Amino acid sequence: MQPKARSDEQDDKELEALGYAPSFRREFSNLATISFAFSIMGVCSSVASTFNTPLLLGGPASVTWCWILGATNCLALASSIAEIVSAFPTCGGLYTASAQLCPKKYRARVGWVVGWLNILGQFVGLSSTEFGLANMILAAASINGTYEITAGKVVGLTTGLLIIHGLLNSLKTRHLAYFASSFVFVNLGATSLIIILLLAMTPRSEMHPASYVFGTEGLINGTGGWNTGISFLLGLLSVQWTMTGYDATAHISEEVRRAAYAAPVAITIATIGTAISGWLLNIVLILCSGPISDLPGPSGSAFLAIMVLRMGSRTALALWFFVCVTAFFVAQTGLQAGSRTIYAFSRDRGLPDGGFFGRVSQGTQTPLRAVWLTVVVSVLPGLLDLASPIAANAIFAMTAMAADLSYIIPVILRRIFHSHPEVQFKPGPYYMGDGWLGVFANVWCTIWTIFVCVLFSLPTEEPVTPANMNYAAPITVAVIAFSGLWYVSGAHRHYHGPASNLPNEGKGGDMDVDLDERDAERLEVDGKEEA
């Protein structure tokens, strides 16, 4: 038997041990998986779209220090997620894991809430990414201040981009994997090129001193009312918005070869790479930024304004094209991950659709129904911008909070119920161990995420008005409350937690994972490969 076929067979056995019949082709190689993980964070485009927030609220020093502070703490969360993904390599990701990491009587309720938090976070995240990409494209058109950007143009372009990504995600898995393999090179290549050109084209005499980039000279409170400490910490919003989507790689794990190894390793490598490259990019941007009074400039993007200042409009726009391409890749990977989440939730009867969206196309062996449901639903938040930009921004604001809460719930459950007889967590190949390292990473990332969620809840300006009010926390709480009421009022009749779809397990039945069998199979395949 060929190594690839043997690997796929082993992956399928592990999936069956988790209670699911293999439905996808495993076409994602190690390179494609790592590239996918890098692309969901999209360091170059994500920094570009969020750079205004730390710069204008906390100042240059907030940009540089908050990035490395946030990125370091995000690594603890990424590592905690990676070891859970390694143990549960299914397209349900952390939703499936959450339900399996608590006693049976809680599984349905936990799975329901985490599932909806994760789905809504991905829907709104995809919509906000496309919305941000549309604004980035239009910002290039208005670089000289002569082109008027209207809500209709932004919403129209956002909708068009979602349709394009829907078409691309309708391709077969091998085409998606081939396409994804190039993402990391464009992402890191564009970031490196911007760094090099900014340093090369900025006269030494016009570069800011270290005290401005790293010191107190770079602390500028732009909040209008918060103290300097809070304004500085608001710079964390940029890195937290960028370094999210850790679980996206988990959602394609049924399409990944040696998923229990490749998916968690990709998450870790992408997090470290994004942390380092993003910090360097932020430092160089501040170093070459010119007077802060001239920012964000006519385009409304401080990132683009700095590039134009140092490179001229033609070179800046040429590079801006690649920044937009990286944002395009973020949306591409986001739609793929989101559609797999919908597929998994429908497969478990979490949607009131009778499993309609939990099926794969015979032609492409991808969940086309889930892909286009994701496209249609993701159009809706953008349409709100036509009626009320405040409402649209309020919906977009819940993205990171909903996603982060869905990340830490399985981490918390893993520690609370680690000795419960109905919860036997058997680690995968990626594991931080039973000692202090694993416990510290789990506890610390939980504390950090809760702290960041508090920051996500704060209005960024004072005095607070209906226009600048931060609605992230109320909307997230409302989503949790609504999903709970929905479950109690009727959803409990069709949803009973993750359900096996194996022929001998029956429809919609609760599943117990044969973890000892999975361990034995892993040892068997490892022994064969070594031989």
Side-chain angles (χ1 to χ4, degrees), residues 25-375:
R25 289 189 180 277
R26 296 187 181 273
E27 303 283 0
F28 272 74
S29 63
N30 289 342
L31 173 61
T33 307
I34 292 172
S35 184
F36 186 95
F38 260 103
S39 297
I40 197 66
M41 298 185 197
V43 58
C44 187
S45 59
S46 296
V47 170
S49 61
T50 60
F51 186 70
N52 283 13
T53 300
L55 178 67
L56 302 180
L57 293 179
S62 176
V63 174
T64 53
W65 284 117
C66 281
W67 180 276
I68 195 61
L69 173 64
T72 302
N73 287 287
C74 285
L75 181 59
L77 178 58
S79 299
S80 299
I81 290 172
E83 66 176 357
I84 291 176
V85 170
S86 184
F88 300 94
T90 76
C91 62
L94 299 179
Y95 143 69
T96 302
S98 296
Q100 294 295 335
L101 290 170
C102 62
K104 290 182 180 179
K105 65 179 180 179
Y106 302 126
R107 284 181 184 174
R109 282 169 283 181
V110 168
W112 179 261
V113 172
V114 174
W116 278 113
L117 274 175
N118 199 260
I119 287 170
L120 290 172
Q122 291 195 55
F123 274 157
V124 179
L126 173 61
S127 183
S128 63
T129 299
E130 296 283 33
F131 194 82
L133 174 56
N135 276 291
M136 288 168 66
I137 294 171
L138 294 173
S142 63
I143 193 170
N144 296 318
T146 58
Y147 182 80
E148 182 183 2
I149 300 175
T150 64
K153 292 175 182 176
V154 175
V155 172
L157 185 53
T158 299
T159 303
L161 289 167
L162 278 166
I163 292 172
I164 291 172
H165 283 117
L167 293 171
L168 289 173
N169 270 278
S170 298
L171 299 174
K172 293 182 178 181
T173 302
R174 71 171 178 270
H175 298 137
L176 293 174
Y178 180 78
F179 187 35
S181 297
S182 63
F183 292 176
V184 65
F185 301 108
V186 176
N187 201 333
L188 295 181
T191 303
S192 301
L193 194 55
I194 290 171
I195 290 173
I196 292 169
L197 288 179
L198 281 175
L199 290 174
M201 302 179 78
T202 303
R204 183 68 180 271
S205 60
E206 295 181 17
M207 290 184 179
H208 288 292
S211 59
Y212 183 83
V213 180
F214 299 103
T216 55
E217 188 182 338
L219 291 176
I220 301 172
N221 190 337
T223 62
W226 290 112
N227 61 45
T228 303
I230 296 294
S231 69
F232 173 81
L233 289 174
L234 289 174
L236 290 168
L237 298 180
S238 175
V239 63
Q240 295 299 144
W241 273 87
T242 300
M243 299 188 70
T244 189
Y246 307 103
D247 65 327
T249 310
H251 294 302
I252 65 163
S253 59
E254 292 182 32
E255 301 163 79
V256 172
R257 297 171 196 154
R258 293 174 59 83
Y261 296 83
V265 169
I267 292 171
T268 306
I269 291 175
T271 302
I272 295 172
T274 299
I276 295 172
S277 58
W279 196 36
L280 293 175
L281 178 59
N282 276 297
I283 290 173
V284 172
L285 282 167
I286 295 301
L287 191 66
C288 305
S289 60
I292 195 171
S293 58
D294 294 340
L295 301 174
S299 66
S301 168
F303 189 107
L304 180 55
I306 294 169
M307 290 172 61
V308 171
L309 173 66
R310 299 307 179 189
M311 305 176 191
S313 58
R314 288 187 179 181
T315 304
L317 287 177
L319 282 177
W320 191 248
F321 168 79
F322 290 101
V323 176
C324 292
V325 168
T326 61
F328 187 88
F329 292 161
V330 174
Q332 171 69 12
T333 51
L335 177 52
Q336 186 175 348
S339 63
R340 273 50 173 181
T341 310
I342 286 292
Y343 164 83
F345 204 47
S346 176
R347 179 175 64 180
D348 290 340
R349 301 299 188 268
L351 299 178
D353 64 340
F356 179 80
F357 294 104
R359 300 187 181 100
V360 298
S361 166
Q362 292 298 317
T364 63
Q365 283 199 280
T366 57
L368 293 184
R369 296 175 182 178
V371 167
W372 287 99
L373 174 64
T374 305
V375 169

Side-chain angles (χ1 to χ4, degrees), residues 252-517:
I252 65 163
S253 59
E254 292 182 32
E255 301 163 79
V256 172
R257 297 171 196 154
R258 293 174 59 83
Y261 296 83
V265 169
I267 292 171
T268 306
I269 291 175
T271 302
I272 295 172
T274 299
I276 295 172
S277 58
W279 196 36
L280 293 175
L281 178 59
N282 276 297
I283 290 173
V284 172
L285 282 167
I286 295 301
L287 191 66
C288 305
S289 60
I292 195 171
S293 58
D294 294 340
L295 301 174
S299 66
S301 168
F303 189 107
L304 180 55
I306 294 169
M307 290 172 61
V308 171
L309 173 66
R310 299 307 179 189
M311 305 176 191
S313 58
R314 288 187 179 181
T315 304
L317 287 177
L319 282 177
W320 191 248
F321 168 79
F322 290 101
V323 176
C324 292
V325 168
T326 61
F328 187 88
F329 292 161
V330 174
Q332 171 69 12
T333 51
L335 177 52
Q336 186 175 348
S339 63
R340 273 50 173 181
T341 310
I342 286 292
Y343 164 83
F345 204 47
S346 176
R347 179 175 64 180
D348 290 340
R349 301 299 188 268
L351 299 178
D353 64 340
F356 179 80
F357 294 104
R359 300 187 181 100
V360 298
S361 166
Q362 292 298 317
T364 63
Q365 283 199 280
T366 57
L368 293 184
R369 296 175 182 178
V371 167
W372 287 99
L373 174 64
T374 305
V375 169
V376 171
V377 176
S378 297
V379 169
L380 301 180
L383 292 177
L384 278 176
D385 194 58
L386 295 174
S388 171
I390 297 175
N393 289 331
I395 296 296
F396 292 151
M398 69 166 283
T399 303
M401 183 178 290
D404 283 354
L405 288 175
S406 72
Y407 296 160
I408 63 169
I409 289 174
V411 176
I412 294 171
L413 293 174
R414 166 160 143 54
R415 289 301 169 188
I416 291 177
F417 296 110
H418 71 280
S419 59
H420 196 282
E422 294 179 0
V423 180
Q424 298 179 2
F425 176 78
K426 292 295 181 71
Y430 184 99
Y431 185 49
M432 289 186 286
D434 295 323
W436 67 269
L437 178 61
V439 174
F440 175 79
N442 292 167
V443 172
W444 182 251
C445 77
T446 300
I447 295 171
W448 175 256
T449 302
I450 293 171
F451 168 71
V452 168
C453 284
V454 173
L455 280 181
F456 277 132
S457 304
L458 298 177
T460 55
E461 297 178 12
E462 286 197 334
V464 180
T465 65
N468 64 24
M469 172 62 184
N470 188 339
Y471 296 95
I475 292 177
T476 304
V477 171
V479 167
I480 296 173
F482 177 76
S483 67
L485 289 173
W486 185 6
Y487 177 79
V488 171
S489 62
H492 65 278
R493 297 187 182 93
H494 60 81
Y495 179 74
H496 307 289
S500 174
N501 66 348
L502 293 174
N504 60 340
E505 296 290 339
K507 294 275 187 181
D510 188 21
M511 59 186 180
D512 291 316
V513 183
D514 192 347
L515 295 166
D516 292 330
E517 179 184 345

